[in-house]
């Protein structure tokens, strides 16, 4: 299934900057960065539980927020891209 | 059901692969060209001068992502592989059966029969899609697809009743030879550039052979991963004899899939004009290989072909073609464990 993970991490403190970096890294391990704080993660349910748990351990719920959008297995029909920086289709042929 | 995972092909010379977190990053000229999380991959295949960090190779081994290195022309050189997964009891049973002619025959027979049946389907489909204007230009001749297909039905029956492995290999060889004799007649574009003549390998001596060989290498990579993923030893086969460095079981598994995933694809690539005479380069030795652009076309077509869905005749589920090797490896494992009396090979309808 495809989950869209977006976040807002307060970076007014050094600890906040550190949390931001950790959240981004965590998302990069499981998905693709489509915009600055927006990640598309294609995961199976068990991988999702793991990722979600990891993310929620990093953030400070008093100042930061995470939002998940569940796009299901047929997500291709639900996503449209306009403009620069098109995402790579990780299910298509990967040839470089 | 297993998810069909993707394979990453890297053919840009001088590219460097490294691990960043749990993702593979492809660097080309010190810039990140692509980044793919490991969990979405089941294989990485590199061509020629592509290097990879030891950390990435280790991570692939750990995550069960098969990492194969091929030379620039697509010949297999080496692979990185972690601990053999699965059950040692299953592998022991595999060795015991491989040692017994009788048990091997039980598995090899359906493999050869399915291969013959599937090559026959290639001929019949081509004959149906392109009924020739002159209905009997070469009827009765050894190259006539329809007549060959008819004879092959008998070959498949012969394979099912063969009493020894040698006889079975004989049936397979003869049937394969007559299939490839008819293959030339299925090529309808490109004129002389794609004249097939006969199957030649190591090295392929013309364009059509070069394309076939290349697609067979890709298929072998996939079948090998499928064997390993099912906990079987890819080196110990039933139809193919053991030889150092040869993935005999992967080759066994591959037999029935060659027509479906490689031969048919070769025909459509040529007949639709997706590969042209210029997609190949001759070598001084007389060998012919794909160019980098030609390889890209073939790889893309192969990956897309694997996404096509079909009904698997034995498990009765709609699956992607790319999953068929995995299903077959698992069915074979089930037969070895004693859950099925016979091994049902894949029949393409």
């Amino acid at each position: 299934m495809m989950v869209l993970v977006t976040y807002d991490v307060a970076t007014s403190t050094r600890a906040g900057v550190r949390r931001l970096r950790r959240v981004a890294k965590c998302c990069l391990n499981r998905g693709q960065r489509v915009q600055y704080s927006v990640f598309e993660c294609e995961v199976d349910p068990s991988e999702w539980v793991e990722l979600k748990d990891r993310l929620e351990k990093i953030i400070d719920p008093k100042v930061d927020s995470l939002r998940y959008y569940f796009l299901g297995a047929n997500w291709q029909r639900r996503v449209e891209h306009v403009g620069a920086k098109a995402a790579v289709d990780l299910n298509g042929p990967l040839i470089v | 059901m297993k998810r069909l995972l993707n394979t990453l092909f890297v053919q840009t010379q001088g590219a460097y692969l490294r691990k960043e977190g749990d993702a593979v990053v492809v660097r080309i000229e010190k810039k990140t060209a692509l980044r793919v999380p490991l969990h979405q991959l089941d294989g990485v295949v590199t061509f020629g001068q592509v290097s990879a960090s030891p950390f990435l190779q280790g991570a692939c081994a750990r995550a069960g992502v098969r990492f194969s290195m091929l030379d620039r022309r697509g010949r297999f050189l080496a692979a990185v592989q972690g601990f053999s997964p699965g059950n040692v009891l299953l592998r022991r049973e595999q060795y015991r059966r491989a040692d017994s002619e009788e048990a091997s025959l039980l598995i090899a027979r359906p493999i050869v029969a399915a291969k013959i049946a599937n090559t026959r389907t290639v001929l019949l489909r081509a004959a149906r899609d392109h009924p020739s204007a002159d209905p009997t230009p070469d009827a009765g001749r050894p190259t006539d697809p329809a007549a060959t297909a008819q004879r092959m039905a008998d070959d498949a029956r012969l394979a099912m009743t063969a009493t020894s492995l040698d006889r079975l290999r004989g049936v397979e060889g003869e049937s394969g030879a007559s299939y490839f004799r008819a293959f030339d007649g299925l090529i309808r574009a490109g004129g002389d550039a794609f004249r097939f003549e006969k199957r030649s390998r190591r090295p392929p001596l013309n364009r059509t052979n070069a394309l076939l060989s290349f697609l067979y290498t890709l298929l072998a990579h996939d079948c090998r991963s499928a064997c390993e993923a099912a906990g079987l030893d890819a080196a110990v086969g039933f139809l193919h004899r053991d030889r150092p460095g040869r993935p005999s079981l992967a080759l066994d598994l591959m037999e029935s899939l060659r027509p479906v995933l490689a031969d048919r694809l070769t025909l459509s690539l040529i007949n639709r004009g997706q590969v042209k005479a210029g997609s190949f380069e001759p070598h001084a030795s007389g060998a012919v290989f794909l160019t980098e652009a030609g390889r890209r076309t073939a790889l893309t077509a192969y990956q897309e072909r694997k996404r096509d869905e079909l009904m698997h005749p034995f498990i009765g589920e709609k699956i992607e073609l790319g999953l068929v090797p995995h299903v077959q490896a698992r069915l074979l494992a089930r037969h070895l464990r004693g859950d099925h009396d016979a091994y049902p090979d894949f029949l393409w309808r």
Side-chain angles (χ1 to χ4, degrees):
Chain A
M1 63 178 182
M2 176 62 86
V3 186
L4 193 75
V5 179
T6 68
Y7 53 76
D8 230 341
V9 176
T11 52
S12 47
T13 60
R14 282 185 65 180
V17 174
R18 188 175 133 85
R19 287 200 304 277
L20 177 75
R21 230 180 4 244
R22 290 181 62 199
V23 169
K25 253 190 194 163
C26 206
C27 293
L28 274 174
N29 285 344
R30 286 288 175 218
Q32 179 176 199
R33 178 170 235 149
V34 285
Q35 282 175 350
Y36 282 117
S37 11
V38 181
F39 287 82
E40 287 180 355
C41 302
E42 195 169 8
V43 286
D44 62 33
S46 67
E47 287 165 345
W48 171 242
V49 173
E50 227 182 280
L51 174 62
K52 185 170 165 351
D53 179 58
R54 216 173 280 163
L55 289 171
E56 285 163 21
K57 275 185 183 142
I58 298 171
I59 61 154
D60 175 354
K62 284 194 286 298
V63 286
D64 308 335
S65 66
L66 281 162
R67 273 182 96 81
Y68 313 128
Y69 300 82
F70 300 95
L71 298 177
N74 276 325
W75 55 274
Q76 274 100 344
R77 295 186 291 109
R78 306 202 170 107
V79 181
E80 223 179 282
H81 182 97
V82 180
K85 288 209 287 188
V88 180
D89 175 12
L90 294 181
N91 291 309
L94 289 176
I95 304 162
V96 283
Chain B
M1 193 66 224
K2 191 181 149 55
R3 192 152 62 109
L4 176 60
L5 296 170
N6 214 336
T7 308
L8 169 65
F9 296 98
V10 185
Q11 59 156 357
T12 307
Q13 300 300 295
Y16 182 69
L17 308 183
R18 71 180 189 203
K19 171 178 173 288
E20 266 180 36
D22 290 331
V24 189
V25 171
V26 184
R27 303 271 291 175
I28 293 168
E29 286 170 3
K30 308 222 163 123
K31 278 200 220 61
T32 298
L34 185 68
R35 164 185 194 108
V36 191
L38 262 178
H39 76 112
Q40 279 184 275
L41 290 179
D42 101 329
V44 177
V45 181
T46 68
F47 293 89
Q49 204 225 89
V50 174
S51 34
S53 77
F55 304 104
L56 175 66
Q57 295 181 34
C60 285
R62 218 176 356 251
V65 174
R66 197 169 174 80
F67 187 97
S68 299
M69 280 166 270
L70 315 182
D71 73 5
R72 284 187 68 165
R73 307 207 165 99
R75 267 175 312 194
F76 180 82
L77 292 176
V80 177
Q81 192 202 314
F83 284 111
S84 293
N87 190 328
V88 61
L89 300 176
L90 174 67
R91 279 200 297 280
R92 269 198 190 278
E93 184 59 31
Q94 182 189 349
Y95 302 146
R96 271 195 287 271
R97 301 272 186 110
D99 282 340
S100 140
E101 163 106 9
E102 210 175 316
S104 297
L105 195 58
L106 199 60
I107 296 168
R109 272 197 295 231
I111 289 177
V112 175
K115 177 190 184 177
I116 295 175
N118 292 350
T119 49
R120 186 169 170 265
T121 307
V122 170
L123 296 180
L124 289 176
R125 283 202 180 193
R128 195 179 60 211
D129 292 352
H130 301 276
S132 49
D134 177 9
T136 50
D138 46 11
R141 282 209 269 151
T143 51
D144 176 38
T148 308
Q150 209 144 37
R151 281 197 301 277
M152 286 173 90
D154 299 331
D155 291 342
R157 269 189 291 277
L158 271 179
M160 275 323 276
T161 52
T163 47
S164 75
L165 280 175
D166 280 332
R167 198 166 291 176
L168 186 63
R169 291 192 188 101
V171 173
E172 186 204 3
E174 268 171 43
S175 166
S178 60
Y179 165 65
F180 278 123
R181 266 198 299 278
F183 201 75
D184 215 359
L186 308 183
I187 297 165
R188 282 154 208 284
D192 277 352
F194 288 103
R195 171 110 337 133
F196 174 70
E197 287 159 20
K198 59 175 195 214
R199 179 83 183 113
S200 57
R201 49 200 203 105
R202 292 176 202 206
L205 295 175
N206 55 37
R207 296 182 175 88
T208 304
N209 273 302
L211 194 51
L212 278 176
S213 291
F214 182 71
L215 291 174
Y216 287 160
T217 313
L218 299 181
L219 184 57
H221 165 94
D222 286 346
C223 287
R224 209 168 162 160
S225 324
C227 293
E228 303 286 350
L232 296 164
D233 187 335
V236 178
F238 300 99
L239 177 66
H240 290 84
R241 288 220 178 88
D242 293 356
R243 189 191 292 164
R246 175 155 86 173
S248 298
L249 187 64
L251 297 177
D252 283 2
L253 205 59
M254 185 174 148
E255 288 300 350
S256 61
L257 299 170
R258 284 174 199 259
V260 192
L261 270 160
D263 302 356
R264 175 91 179 148
L265 192 59
T266 300
L267 289 174
S268 31
L269 280 169
I270 296 173
N271 289 344
R272 288 196 198 134
Q274 284 172 278
V275 295
K276 304 228 158 38
S279 311
F280 299 83
E281 54 191 353
H283 199 245
S285 63
V288 177
F289 297 106
L290 281 157
T291 60
E292 202 162 304
R295 260 202 320 263
R296 182 181 288 266
T297 313
L299 282 171
T300 310
Y302 179 73
Q303 286 297 95
E304 272 162 9
R305 181 84 176 109
K306 282 205 290 184
R307 298 249 148 229
D308 287 351
E309 287 192 340
L310 51 74
M311 186 60 116
H312 190 286
F314 189 79
I315 62 171
E317 256 181 82
K318 212 171 163 194
I319 57 168
E320 285 137 320
L321 202 38
L323 278 182
V324 173
H326 290 274
V327 171
Q328 292 310 129
R330 268 157 215 184
L331 287 173
L332 182 57
R334 266 197 236 165
H335 168 62
L336 293 177
R337 289 201 180 95
D339 296 343
H340 289 311
D341 293 337
Y343 166 61
D345 204 347
F346 176 71
L347 284 175
W348 186 35
R349 299 251 162 81

